Amino acid sequence: MDVGGTKIAGALVHPDGSMTAATRRPTPRATDPEAVMAAVVEVVAELSADPLWERAVRCGIGSAGPVDTSRGTVSPVNIAAWRDFPVQERVAAELLGRGLRVPVVLAGDGVAMTAAEHWLGAARGHANALCMVVSTGVGGGLVLDNRLHAGPTGNAGHIGHISVAFDGEPCVCGGRGCVESLASGTAIARWALAQGWNGPDPTAAGVAASAAAGDPVALAAFDRAGRALAAAIAATATLVETDIAVIGGGVAASGDTLFGPVRRHLASYAALSFVQDLQVVPAALGTHAGLIGAAAAAMMLAAG
């Protein structure tokens, strides 16, 4: 299952990563947590009608965060109705009510994306990898020694809140100079607008289009974002010796407009010999990463 601010999706994921019975519901814009859970129940009900339902061996839930996998709870910033919501327990009960007694594993969406890209995507074959989602926010996850490293609460690898500017602007997390406050789609658009850019589409995609057309402010906005990402990627690689960074999410869809500055600045930060061959590549799985990643995380992480 893939739980996000716009949709709640589910699928039966097969051992080769293919999916069947995929279904989705819009995430309710409700203040009642049970209204959101009702959409989850509908997805489970539809999946349970599939002939392969009884052959499922594990359930993975990839959710927008913050998550607390030690407690099985989620408090997604984009689902206001869910605060410390016990989604793991509630989904397990729903599965049991439909005849399926299987372990249920909760993962943050950045960790799920990492599991997907390591299993079938751009990080496949790499024992040590950082995977990132650069979108409205910036999230991520780590694979170390071919194992998904989620940390005690499931938030390890949350690269968006590494500080790369000690005197930078305050971040929504309470820190200062975080990657997310410099490199998220929101941050890119905000900075460009503050510098006088006035393109017709006031989003990161609009800034990217202007950058591709040579607009100097738009190019500077992506250069600033790329530098922040490069600093964080290099710091992570230096700390735990990852050899590849995979970047997905809406901002990564801008292609070389983002990847060019990241790779250019990386040379300034990844200076030590053991990180000089660090690769930065786009994610391979796109919109399928959430569901495939939830399944992959369920298999890679120990079940409770």
Side-chain angles (χ1 to χ4, degrees), residues 135-138 168-173 177-198 201-208 217-218 220-222 224-225 251:
S135 186
T136 306
V138 177
E169 63 183 77
C171 179
V172 292
C173 75
C178 292
V179 175
E180 184 171 299
S181 69
L182 296 161
S184 69
T186 307
I188 290 169
R190 183 176 64 243
W191 188 86
L193 289 165
Q195 302 304 309
W197 176 78
N198 60 354
D201 176 10
T203 67
V207 180
V217 174
F222 271 87
R224 179 175 182 263
V251 177

Side-chain angles (χ1 to χ4, degrees), residues 134-236:
V134 183
S135 186
T136 306
V138 177
L142 290 166
V143 171
L144 302 176
D145 292 331
N146 279 314
R147 299 183 64 182
L148 193 60
H149 181 75
T153 66
N155 292 289
H158 202 337
I159 194 168
H161 296 289
I162 289 179
S163 177
V164 291
F166 71 89
D167 57 352
E169 63 183 77
C171 179
V172 292
C173 75
R176 183 176 289 274
C178 292
V179 175
E180 184 171 299
S181 69
L182 296 161
S184 69
T186 307
I188 290 169
R190 183 176 64 243
W191 188 86
L193 289 165
Q195 302 304 309
W197 176 78
N198 60 354
D201 176 10
T203 67
V207 180
S210 291
D215 183 277
V217 174
L219 286 166
F222 271 87
D223 186 75
R224 179 175 182 263
R227 185 177 182 184
L229 291 169
I233 290 167
T236 302

Side-chain angles (χ1 to χ4, degrees), residues 219-220 222-231 234 258-271:
L219 286 166
F222 271 87
D223 186 75
R224 179 175 182 263
R227 185 177 182 184
L229 291 169
L258 177 69
F259 284 91
V262 173
R263 290 169 178 148
R264 185 169 64 251
H265 286 295
L266 193 63
S268 301
Y269 293 104

